[in-house]
Amino acid sequence: MNKNILEDCTLCPRECHANRTLGQIGMCREAAKVVVARAALHMWEEPCISGEKGSGTVFFSGCSLGCVYCQNQKIAKGLAGRKITTERLSDIFLELQEKGANNINLVTPSHYVPQIIEALITAKRKGLYLPIVYNTSGYEKVETIKLLSGYVDVYLPDLKYKSGEISKRYSNAPDYFNYASEAILEMVNQVGEPDFNEEGIMTKGVIVRHLTLPGYLMDSKDILEYLYDTFGDKIYISIMNQYTPLSQVKAYTEINRKVTPQEYEELVDYALYLGVENGFIQEGETAAESFIPEFNEEGV
Ligand code: SF4
């Protein structure tokens, strides 16, 4: 694929038309050069992604969604990371494979799709065989997801909000659900039903994550209902309670607290009531800043 799209960037729904090859930046805050903040084995994903050996996680800098409560703010705002070539990115994939990773897990990759495809082509030519996981906010264009056909094995999108009012308030994206739901449909059509290797690691499929926000149980229930009505058990649903109110949400007093155990329990019960069988839940106290990795350029 060519890189022309970066000269008039419309990779994601923001459609900034920035000429990123000339150093211009759009809402994702990144020009054409890939910036990576950390590349290391990561144990905190779903069990079929992390397994015992860990997921080979590559944290890209910048983000096109920019949620006010972002848990990875330092990288989302493009404030961390090192600029690298696509050649170096392909070597990083191979180094993670050498370290025993179960997969290559691309975190917030949407604004680097052309560069990632280029790096994957090189890495596969040099022996990369691991499943490729595309770990995204869900705010994606179908056209961009189509470019990834044949390169990505496992999609790990969020589906954050159903209500446009809520997605506008916290992510400045009133059209979030329309884009994310269409993108997820394309992901499911592309990779099909889940499959696992003998160690229980997902080798293809879609896991949709939903991070429960404090006080928005109704919207969370709407999301679960939509996902189960639309896909049944063709996908996995991961219901997350790890929302952590960091200092930047002080102005949003209604979400300046953790999700209560009662709220989370009610949502999990609702999933069971719907009949969801392919699901992941989080147990115990997961809302802690210590779960946010250090973005210290390790492995970059
Ligand atoms: S990837 Fe970045 S520059 Fe391109 S449309 Fe999205 S936010 Fe804008």
Side-chain angles (χ1 to χ4, degrees), residues 5-6 8-20 24-30 63-65 110-112 141:
I5 195 164
L6 299 176
D8 183 28
C9 190
T10 54
L11 270 178
C12 83
R14 300 293 188 194
E15 300 198 334
C16 306
H17 292 278
N19 187 337
R20 295 171 60 196
Q24 288 176 4
I25 56 171
M27 286 187 73
C28 59
R29 298 175 188 243
E30 296 295 351
C63 176
S64 58
L65 191 55
S110 322
H111 49 295
Y112 291 127
K141 284 171 64 175

Side-chain angles (χ1 to χ4, degrees), residues 47-52 102-103 131 195-197 199-203:
C48 65
I49 299 294
S50 284
E52 288 192 0
N102 283 314
N103 42 45
D195 210 350
F196 300 85
N197 67 16
E199 287 164 18
I201 300 300
M202 189 178 267
T203 51

Side-chain angles (χ1 to χ4, degrees), residues 260-277:
T260 65
Q262 291 75 15
E263 281 173 310
Y264 187 60
E265 215 177 285
E266 193 177 328
L267 189 60
V268 172
D269 283 348
Y270 190 68
L272 294 173
Y273 160 79
L274 289 172
V276 174
E277 287 190 1

